[in-house]
Amino acid sequence: MDAPITIQPKFLSNKTELGLVAVGFSGGQCKPGVDAAPMALIESGLVEQLKDDLKYDVHYDGQVHAYGDLMPKTDPDYRGMKNPKAVCAVTKQLSNQVYEHAKKGRFVLTLGGDHSIAIGTISGTAKAMHERLDRDMAVIWVDAHADINTPETSDSGNIHGMPVAFLTGLANDKPDAPFGWLNDDQRISPKKLVYIGLRDVDRGEKKILRDNGIKAFSMHDIDRYGIGKVMDMALGWIGSDTPIHLSFDIDALDPMWAPSTGTAVRGGLTLREGDFIAECVHETGSLVALDLVEVNPSLEEQGAAETVRAGVSIVRSSLGDT
Ligand SMILES: NC(=[NH2+])NCCC[C@H](N)C(=O)O
Ligand SMILES: [Mn+2]
Ligand SMILES: [Mn+2]
C-alpha cells in the first residue's frame, strides 16, 4: 500500500519526518524489565513498519539508551522519592534528545521505559513548541493512573507516579524542588492536560485533580458515554489550534490485551478503544509526539508478546495506520 498517511500535520515541518528515541530506563519504579521494551518493540519490526508501510523518514541513532554514564554511584531517597538522581539525570538528557528532533519540526516517537521518562519527553516537545510556534502544548495522558503524585502525596516513592506533578509545576512548591532543571518553557498548563482511561487514582491525586480543575475521563465516563463521545469531549477541550503530545501508558489497556506491565489494573480499555483514541488524535493533525511506556516483556511469559503487539498497534494507529 502506498502513501497511507493522508492527514496533513499542522505543527510539523512535513508529514513524514519522524525522530525515534529508544529509552531503556526503569528507575522510575522498582520492577526490572521495562528497560527491555524498546528492543522488544523494535525486534518485532516496528521501525520497518514505520518506514515501509507508513512511509516515514525515520531518524534513529540505532541505540537503546540506557544512560549508564549518567548513573550516580549512590542515590539515596530524597523527599521520599526513589532513585531521584538517576531519574533527574536521565530525564534531563532525554529532554534534550527529544527537543533536538522537535525543533527540526519532526514528529517525535519515544519508546520507554517507565512513565517517569515523560518528564524528559514532554519538557522537550513543550520547549520546541514554545520556540518554534510560540504556543503552549496540550498533553493527552492515556493511563489507568494519573501519575500526578507529588513526592509528599506518593505512597510508593516511585517517580513514575509523579511525572505530571513536575511537568505542570504542581510539585515545585518547595525551594529545594527536584527536577530544578525544568524551566517554565518546558512545562505544561494543568488546563491543557486531559486524562483518558483512569481507574486507579490515589486519594491525594484526586484532590490535586479537583483543586486544579484538570480534565479527566475515567473508565466510568467511557462506560457511560462511549469512547466516541469521550474523544469528542477530550479533543473539544483542547481545541483545534494546539499541538498535542500523546503519552500512552500501556496499562491503560485492560490486562486482557496488555498483561505484561508493572502496575496492571483490571477494567481497562479494549485494544480497539486504545487504537481508536490514537486514531482520533492522529486525525486532528495536531499530534506532534507520542510516548509509549510501561511495556515490561519480562513480567508475563505468555502475555509479553501480546503486550508488545498491543504497543505496536497503538504506535501505528497514532501514526496514521487505519
Ligand atoms: N506509570 C505508572 N504505571 N504509574 C503507576 C503509579 C501507581 C501509584 N499511583 C504510585 O504513585 O505509585
Ligand atoms: Mn499506569
Ligand atoms: Mn503511567
Side-chain angles (χ1 to χ4, degrees):
M1 258 204 317
D2 280 317
I5 317 160
T6 53
I7 304 291
Q8 191 62 47
K10 289 183 259 185
F11 305 112
L12 301 173
S13 59
N14 69 58
K15 60 182 176 187
T16 61
E17 298 282 308
L18 182 146
L20 169 62
V21 187
V23 182
F25 181 68
S26 63
Q29 46 88 66
C30 299
K31 294 177 187 166
V34 68
D35 42 295
M39 196 37 84
L41 290 158
I42 289 166
E43 275 172 358
S44 81
L46 179 59
V47 179
E48 284 70 31
Q49 291 179 37
L50 297 181
K51 289 182 184 166
D52 302 342
D53 302 351
L54 297 171
K55 310 290 179 203
Y56 281 94
D57 300 313
V58 178
H59 301 264
Y60 172 46
D61 60 12
Q63 304 177 47
V64 176
H65 294 269
Y67 306 98
D69 51 324
L70 299 178
M71 289 305 133
K73 283 202 185 65
T74 60
D75 203 353
D77 289 7
Y78 175 67
R79 278 172 65 186
M81 289 182 287
K82 295 179 178 139
N83 311 320
K85 283 191 205 163
V87 179
C88 209
V90 166
T91 53
K92 186 176 177 187
Q93 172 96 358
L94 175 58
S95 184
N96 285 324
Q97 293 173 274
V98 169
Y99 168 76
E100 285 301 322
H101 286 301
K103 82 168 185 199
K104 298 187 180 97
R106 295 175 184 160
F107 185 95
V108 191
L109 168 62
T110 305
L111 305 175
D114 71 66
H115 221 161
S116 68
I117 68 163
I119 298 171
T121 61
I122 290 175
S123 60
T125 43
K127 181 178 172 186
M129 293 308 131
H130 282 127
E131 248 177 51
R132 280 184 49 232
L133 309 166
D134 197 22
R135 270 174 214 263
D136 288 338
M137 185 180 79
V139 170
I140 300 181
W141 193 277
V142 185
D143 203 323
H145 310 94
D147 294 346
I148 197 165
N149 272 304
T150 67
E152 286 68 35
T153 64
S154 170
D155 286 333
S156 68
N158 293 328
I159 299 178
H160 79 155
M162 308 179 196
V164 184
F166 291 112
L167 286 163
T168 51
L170 294 169
N172 288 21
D173 52 339
K174 301 246 164 72
D176 64 338
F179 303 99
W181 59 266
L182 278 171
N183 298 316
D184 277 346
D185 66 338
Q186 296 169 305
R187 293 207 189 92
I188 52 159
S189 160
K191 296 277 172 288
K192 299 240 168 190
L193 168 66
V194 180
Y195 285 106
I196 302 171
L198 301 184
R199 57 194 183 277
D200 183 12
V201 180
D202 299 336
R203 186 187 293 267
E205 292 183 302
K206 285 186 181 152
K207 181 167 162 34
I208 293 173
L209 296 182
R210 228 182 298 119
D211 291 352
N212 294 282
I214 293 172
K215 202 70 178 164
F217 297 97
S218 64
M219 288 312 298
H220 180 92
D221 296 311
I222 293 167
D223 291 341
R224 168 154 295 161
Y225 301 111
I227 194 66
K229 184 87 207 317
V230 163
M231 286 316 292
D232 289 348
M233 292 189 283
L235 296 171
W237 174 261
I238 289 170
S240 58
D241 56 354
T242 305
I244 300 173
H245 184 124
L246 176 60
S247 202
F248 204 112
D249 184 329
I250 202 71
D251 73 25
L253 301 182
D254 191 88
M256 187 176 283
W257 284 271
S260 216
T261 186
T263 49
V265 191
R266 288 187 296 176
L269 300 168
T270 64
L271 178 55
R272 184 55 217 141
E273 286 169 332
D275 281 340
F276 181 78
I277 292 168
E279 290 163 7
C280 288
V281 180
H282 172 81
E283 280 173 4
T284 63
S286 300
L287 186 62
V288 297
L290 167 68
D291 314 324
L292 180 73
V293 298
E294 300 284 351
V295 171
N296 188 332
S298 72
L299 286 180
E300 279 243 358
E301 222 173 300
Q302 270 109 52
E306 206 175 338
T307 310
V308 168
R309 263 201 307 281
V312 169
S313 185
I314 296 295
V315 172
R316 292 183 59 125
S317 298
S318 305
L319 288 170
D321 195 17
T322 48

